[in-house]
Amino acid sequence: MKVMFINEPFIIEPLGIGYLASAIKSEGHTAKLALYDKNLRTEIELFKPDVIAYSVTTGKHQQFVKLNQSLKKAYNFTSVFGGSHPTYYPEMADDDNIDYIVRGEAEKSFCNLLRSYKDDKIINFEQLEQNLDNLDFPDRKLLYTYPENLNNPIKNVMTSRGCQYSCPYCFNSIYRSFYKGQKWVRHRSPENVIAECEEL
């Protein structure tokens, strides 16, 4: 299956997309990154994706919902929304142009969705990956599709997931509540982090 991730032009690497791309590629799917700019429709017409995936935050979600509505009129694809906004506001799935939303950490659930489409539009939380060393490194080839990102001297490496604090201005305490009974703060091994840095 061909999956296109659409993202805004970026300086800080969207590692979530990189991790998802690595996960779906390990199952034989093809991934492509396209930027939300004037060349987007050309990219879609050349790649002909089966799935278009958006990772959206609150405040940015409206522009991607409108973009998806526009693209649905012109192309045949399955739309999947993930990221923080759909995680906290699953009612996004009420939009007829949104086929699925995936909530929470999505490496497992997105791969499961691509294996077999579900009747329910809301794909809820899978068990958290407890051993982060089991995750493939983010797909840098995908993230560096565009020269400006490849040539950016600042590279990012995520060494852990979860936060032990519950600051009142942060989403973390609510996010953690979705995974009650599971170990929330998880760390990669130093050897695994160093291997990624050496690869970079």
Side-chain angles (χ1 to χ4, degrees):
M1 195 169 291
K2 296 197 289 187
V3 179
M4 174 177 278
F5 295 93
I6 296 180
N7 200 70
E8 286 188 308
F10 57 87
I11 296 174
I12 299 174
E13 299 162 344
L15 292 181
I17 290 175
Y19 276 109
L20 286 177
S22 288
I24 66 171
K25 281 184 171 182
S26 73
E27 300 209 346
H29 303 291
T30 304
K32 179 173 177 56
L33 175 66
L35 297 182
Y36 182 10
D37 61 17
K38 62 184 179 182
N39 298 316
L40 177 58
R41 287 179 182 260
T42 301
E43 297 273 5
I44 292 172
E45 288 160 13
L46 289 172
F47 186 62
K48 297 180 174 57
D50 302 298
V51 174
I52 291 182
Y54 312 86
S55 180
V56 297
T57 57
T58 301
K60 297 287 186 182
H61 65 287
Q62 291 175 334
Q63 69 182 21
F64 284 101
V65 168
K66 289 177 182 176
L67 171 64
N68 183 62
Q69 290 171 348
S70 174
L71 294 179
K72 279 284 195 177
K73 292 176 183 176
Y75 307 106
N76 182 30
F77 63 91
T78 299
S79 62
V80 181
F81 279 70
S84 58
H85 191 80
T87 294
Y88 294 100
Y89 299 98
E91 57 267 26
M92 280 189 78
D94 294 340
D95 187 311
D96 291 338
N97 292 291
I98 295 175
D99 295 307
Y100 295 100
I101 66 163
V102 178
R103 304 178 73 196
E105 292 185 17
E107 287 91 357
K108 294 176 184 176
S109 49
F110 192 37
C111 285
N112 289 339
L113 177 62
L114 294 180
R115 284 189 209 112
S116 174
Y117 289 146
K118 318 295 182 187
D119 293 330
D120 192 346
K121 293 178 68 172
I122 300 174
I123 309 302
N124 274 308
F125 310 93
E126 295 276 350
Q127 288 290 114
L128 292 172
E129 176 59 65
Q130 293 297 316
N131 183 359
L132 299 184
D133 288 5
N134 289 336
L135 299 175
D136 292 330
F137 296 159
D139 185 349
R140 304 280 176 177
K141 186 174 180 182
L142 181 93
L143 298 181
Y144 300 156
T145 299
Y146 299 91
E148 59 268 30
N149 302 123
L150 173 63
N151 297 327
N152 183 350
I154 300 172
K155 308 299 181 189
N156 298 293
V157 176
M158 190 179 299
T159 64
S160 64
R161 291 186 179 185
C163 176
Q164 62 182 322
Y165 300 108
S166 299
C167 301
Y169 53 80
C170 180
F171 68 88
N172 180 65
S173 58
I174 299 172
Y175 195 22
R176 187 172 56 211
S177 72
F178 296 143
Y179 293 103
K180 283 182 180 175
Q182 300 181 55
K183 185 179 178 183
W184 173 240
V185 180
R186 294 147 290 145
H187 299 274
R188 294 167 60 189
S189 69
E191 294 79 10
N192 187 254
V193 173
I194 289 168
E196 184 179 352
C197 291
E198 289 177 334
E199 183 180 281
L200 271 172

